[in-house]
Each structure stands twice: as structure tokens, then as C-alpha cells.
Amino acid sequence: MSDASAADSVNPQVDADFRAPWPGVAALAVISVLFGLWSITGAVLTRFPELLVPSAIGLPFGIPALRLFPLGETTTINWLVDCAAALVMLAVVWMRLVNSARRHPGGGVGRAFSAGLGATVIGVLAGNLIRTVYLSFVLQEGPGAYLASLVGGALVSVLWGAIVGLFVGAANALARRITRGAAAPESGNDLPTENESSIAETATARP
């Protein structure tokens, strides 16, 4: 076992940080479910019809949505593609947040927030890429239109990922703050204070 692995196995802070991705991924999963509820998305689209412009030109709307069954008259294949895209999105965010916790076990709240934001942007990009490719086959796009769909889908995904990433980053930052706050008293009890160390050295130095 390497020194880094041994240190990780005995460092409670590292183990605590590995649990941090759960709140961020859970927040993203909830938002994904909300995107799949027509009672919510329909009301938003009615108030802001401009959000339908990307869908009108063959680009995916929002982020991949998790649904228990197809919405309205959409096909089963379309529903399965959306669910697969949502699962890919969640998996990408989970892996990136865990990797961030491994690389920066002592990172602060700001790093946790930026990690959640960046992971969400990448996750939405990955999930919407699946939807974009599927829509291009459905619409039977040519090479030029397909390339335009990829570029447009990427731009839309970055925008939605940044918006949703604010909530995911906040959840991840809150989890990091709570985890660090809980670990601080425990680690503080294991180390002598500066005064205790000075007293011990003075007592040892006396004949």
C-alpha cells in the first residue's frame, strides 16, 4: 500500500469528503425529475415561450429529464433515450465530484462550489450529446445540419448546465462545509495546542 493510500485510510477528513458528492448528485436528480414534470415545465414554457426556440430548431430542451413513463404522445424510444441521457449526466457528475474530493481532500467551500458547477456543465453536455445525436437521426439531418446541431446543442447545454450547476454547486459546498465542521472538533482533539506543546517541551528539558 502506498503512503497516499495509507494516509487516506486513516484520515477521517478524506472519508468524509468522499460522501460529499451525494447532496450534489441528489440535487441534480431532483432537478432532472422536475424537468420531466409537465405541470412545471409547461407552466414555465407558457410564461417564457422563448425557451422553446432551441427545441423548434431541433436542439434538446433544458437538461435530460428523468420520467417514470413517456410524456404525452412521445414515443417509448424517445423516453428511453432521455432516461439514458439523464443517467449518463448523473454518472458524469458523480465521477467528477468524487475525483475532485480525491484530488483536493482539504478543499474549502469555494472549491466545492466550483467543482459542482463545473461537473454539472460537463454532465449536461454529455447527457444532451446523446439526445442531440438521437434527434439528428430522427430528423434525418445531413452532415452540415448535424454539425450545426452538435455546436448548437453544446452551447445550449453549457448555458443550462451553468444555470443548474449553481444549485448543484451550492449543495456540494454546503455538504463540504458541514463535513469540515463535523471533522474539525475531532481532529482538533487529537493534536496538542501550541501552549500544551511548549509546556511538554519545557518539562522534558528540565533535569
Side-chain angles (χ1 to χ4, degrees):
M1 181 182 295
S2 63
D3 295 340
S5 300
D8 290 350
S9 62
V10 299
N11 189 348
Q13 180 63 35
V14 174
D15 294 336
D17 285 336
F18 284 157
R19 293 194 294 270
W22 283 110
V25 175
L28 181 59
V30 170
I31 296 173
S32 179
V33 171
L34 293 178
F35 264 87
L37 297 177
W38 180 248
S39 58
I40 296 177
T41 56
V44 173
L45 291 176
T46 301
R47 186 174 181 84
F48 303 100
E50 297 83 5
L51 296 176
L52 285 172
V53 173
S55 300
I57 60 177
L59 299 179
F61 167 74
I63 69 173
L66 280 174
R67 300 186 183 94
L68 295 178
F69 45 80
L71 177 64
E73 298 180 356
T74 56
T75 63
T76 302
I77 296 179
N78 187 38
W79 168 61
L80 292 175
V81 169
D82 281 347
C83 290
L87 294 177
V88 168
M89 174 184 67
L90 294 173
V92 169
V93 172
W94 169 264
M95 289 187 295
R96 291 190 65 86
L97 289 181
V98 169
N99 183 59
S100 177
R102 287 181 182 273
R103 294 178 59 187
H104 309 285
V109 174
R111 182 178 292 277
F113 177 82
S114 61
L117 177 60
T120 305
V121 171
I122 300 300
V124 174
L125 271 170
N128 276 345
L129 176 61
I130 297 175
R131 302 169 71 195
T132 302
V133 173
Y134 169 73
L135 288 174
S136 68
F137 280 104
V138 171
L139 299 175
Q140 298 181 353
E141 295 178 340
Y146 176 68
L147 180 60
S149 295
L150 289 179
V151 175
L155 294 176
V156 171
S157 299
V158 169
L159 177 60
W160 278 106
I163 295 173
V164 176
L166 296 176
F167 300 95
V168 178
N172 195 48
L174 179 61
R176 177 63 61 88
R177 181 172 184 177
I178 293 175
T179 303
R180 286 170 62 91
E186 298 178 2
S187 60
N189 291 335
D190 296 336
L191 299 175
T193 62
E194 182 178 354
N195 291 335
E196 292 174 346
S197 178
S198 300
I199 294 174
E201 291 176 358
T202 302
T204 305
R206 290 177 179 177

